[in-house]
Amino acid sequence: VCLSDGRPIELTSVYKYLGIYALDVEDDLRRRKGKAWAALKSMEGIWKSPVLPEVKRQLFCSLVEPILSYGLTVWPATKTFCRRIDGMYGSMLRYALGLAPSFVSRHTHSSSDVYGSLPRLSAQLGSRRISFFAHCAREHFEGRAHHPFISVLQWCPTKVQFKRRRGGQRFTLASTLLRDSGLDDINDLLEMCMNRNTSRVLLRRVTTFYTNFLMPRTTTLLQE
């Protein structure tokens, strides 16, 4: 590939766009994790102070969580990915609250001790995806702005054009949004998002979905 004057375009293995390292999810997660831990430890005095746990959670959500979660909605929300980001989020929140790491067996804490009323990071990201999609849909179909994002989601490639790899599934933004919402058709999702009341129902459904989605198999078997 060359420019108009004939000069070749230099290929790169690292591409940063709006703060996201868009070519490698592992590299982006590693950098995001490092920045979040640096911010967390720079506020050591706050975490070691006698401030109430709920206040520390609020400060954590305002000052640290945005650094960790920035741009993570662009990556496929596989079960492995969701567990990784929830693990990072939980470890940092434990540190902010002064709780021992989860691998220290003699210090056990319930989820309510760590999270309080906070949802997992995977659920927060799912809610943001649905919320952004609903905003784009209303702006687009009510004529206030043209969002190419809506047109892209309505495009369905044929099986001949794109084949899924054997033994697995390639997640797209559209399939992730449908999984978050529990719907089977993107047009049904559009219809629900056009109404603010049904959009709120979708946002509540996301939190429930990710709670079940990441539930350990052993727990599910015991319930059965």
Side-chain angles (χ1 to χ4, degrees):
V1 181
C2 300
L3 299 172
S4 58
D5 59 4
R7 289 180 299 161
I9 297 177
E10 183 180 353
L11 298 178
T12 178
S13 59
V14 179
Y15 178 65
K16 183 179 180 181
Y17 180 70
L18 297 177
I20 302 169
Y21 288 83
L23 298 181
D24 189 349
V25 61
E26 295 295 332
D27 186 34
D28 191 53
L29 271 180
R30 179 177 57 81
R31 294 172 186 269
R32 199 108 318 269
K33 180 180 178 181
K35 290 177 182 293
W37 271 112
L40 186 69
K41 293 191 175 183
S42 70
M43 294 176 274
E44 193 84 25
I46 297 176
W47 312 133
K48 291 185 176 180
S49 68
V51 174
L52 293 174
E54 191 55 40
V55 176
K56 289 183 178 180
R57 290 190 188 96
Q58 293 174 7
L59 289 171
F60 177 85
C61 289
S62 300
L63 303 174
V64 180
E65 183 271 321
I67 299 173
L68 177 63
S69 66
Y70 178 78
L72 294 186
T73 51
V74 304
W75 299 112
T78 63
K79 184 174 290 189
T80 300
F81 177 81
C82 290
R83 281 178 173 161
R84 286 188 62 186
I85 61 175
D86 284 345
M88 294 177 189
Y89 184 82
S91 296
M92 294 178 188
L93 188 54
R94 282 174 175 269
Y95 185 89
L97 295 172
L99 302 177
S102 57
F103 57 81
V104 180
S105 59
R106 66 180 181 276
H107 293 95
T108 57
H109 301 279
S110 65
S111 296
S112 59
D113 292 337
V114 180
Y115 289 92
S117 59
L118 295 177
R120 303 296 195 275
L121 182 57
S122 57
Q124 295 181 48
L125 296 180
S127 296
R128 291 174 198 174
R129 280 192 296 269
I130 294 291
S131 180
F132 177 69
F133 177 74
H135 166 74
C136 291
R138 289 191 292 268
E139 291 287 305
H140 182 85
F141 290 107
E142 292 173 3
R144 289 189 292 273
H146 173 70
H147 279 283
F149 177 64
I150 301 299
S151 301
V152 171
L153 286 175
Q154 290 179 300
W155 172 68
C156 297
T158 63
K159 293 183 179 179
V160 177
Q161 290 174 307
F162 292 94
K163 294 182 179 180
R164 290 179 176 175
R165 62 185 176 88
R166 184 177 299 176
Q169 181 180 7
R170 295 188 184 279
F171 280 100
T172 63
L173 180 57
S175 62
T176 302
L177 286 169
L178 289 174
R179 190 189 62 184
D180 291 346
S181 62
L183 300 173
D184 297 320
D185 188 271
I186 199 69
N187 291 314
D188 293 337
L189 178 59
L190 280 168
E191 184 178 349
M192 290 193 72
C193 287
M194 291 299 295
N195 185 296
R196 293 183 184 274
N197 291 328
T198 53
S199 292
R200 295 189 187 99
V201 173
L202 282 174
L203 294 176
R204 289 195 296 269
R205 186 184 297 177
V206 170
T207 303
T208 303
F209 166 76
Y210 277 98
T211 301
N212 298 328
F213 179 58
L214 298 172
M215 183 180 294
R217 179 170 174 78
T218 52
T219 305
T220 306
L221 291 173
L222 285 173
Q223 290 178 345
E224 295 173 355

